[in-house]
Structure formats: C-alpha cells, structure tokens
Amino acid sequence: MQLTERHRQYWRKNLRLTGALLAIWFVFTFVIGWFARDLSSITFLGFPLSFYMSAQGAMLIYVVLVGYYAYCMDKLDREYGVAESDQ
C-alpha cells in the first residue's frame, strides 16, 4: 500500500499529539517524584504537593490525558475520513 501525503499528514499529527501527551505524562510521573522533597513545602488542599500528586493528582492527570487523546483522535479520524462508522 502506497502512503499518500494525506496519510503522512494524519500520522504526523497523531505522533505530534502522542509526543506532547507523553511529555506531560513523563513530567507528572517522574519529574514530580524526583523533586518530591522540594515540593513538600508547597501545599495543595492542605496536603504537601508531592503527597497529593502521588496519592490522587497523577491519577487524575492520567484520566484527563486518556480522555483528551480519545477526543482528539476521534476529531482527527473524522477530519481525515478514517473514523469508524456509528452503528
């Protein structure tokens, strides 16, 4: 199968979105954990920020990332005509 310029555009946009979301995931997974001691002086809802992020904040961020990715990919699929049909 020969890839057309339209296919390449679709994949470039898909990879750009995936890369951006992976960068956000990396920051909330590893960078905040790496600076946990420094962030414990900052409080969020009465808890140290590092404790809040490890207990609940990271999970909320992951759910938001998955929802945003699904929303954007559905929109991109419709734009390029590769969406699954609604039945």
Side-chain angles (χ1 to χ4, degrees), residues 25-64:
W25 169 84
F26 180 82
V27 167
F28 281 96
T29 301
F30 294 109
V31 174
I32 290 194
W34 185 263
F35 295 105
R37 288 186 186 173
D38 298 329
L39 293 174
S40 63
S41 62
I42 301 170
T43 59
F44 183 75
L45 298 175
F47 297 100
L49 182 61
S50 59
F51 172 78
Y52 178 79
M53 288 305 295
S54 64
Q56 294 180 0
M59 308 315 163
L60 292 173
I61 295 295
Y62 299 154
V63 169
V64 169

Side-chain angles (χ1 to χ4, degrees), residues 3-11 78-81:
L3 290 180
T4 64
E5 185 57 35
R6 191 163 170 83
H7 287 113
R8 288 187 182 98
Q9 263 184 341
Y10 173 83
W11 282 111
R78 290 179 195 276
E79 180 182 331
Y80 283 87

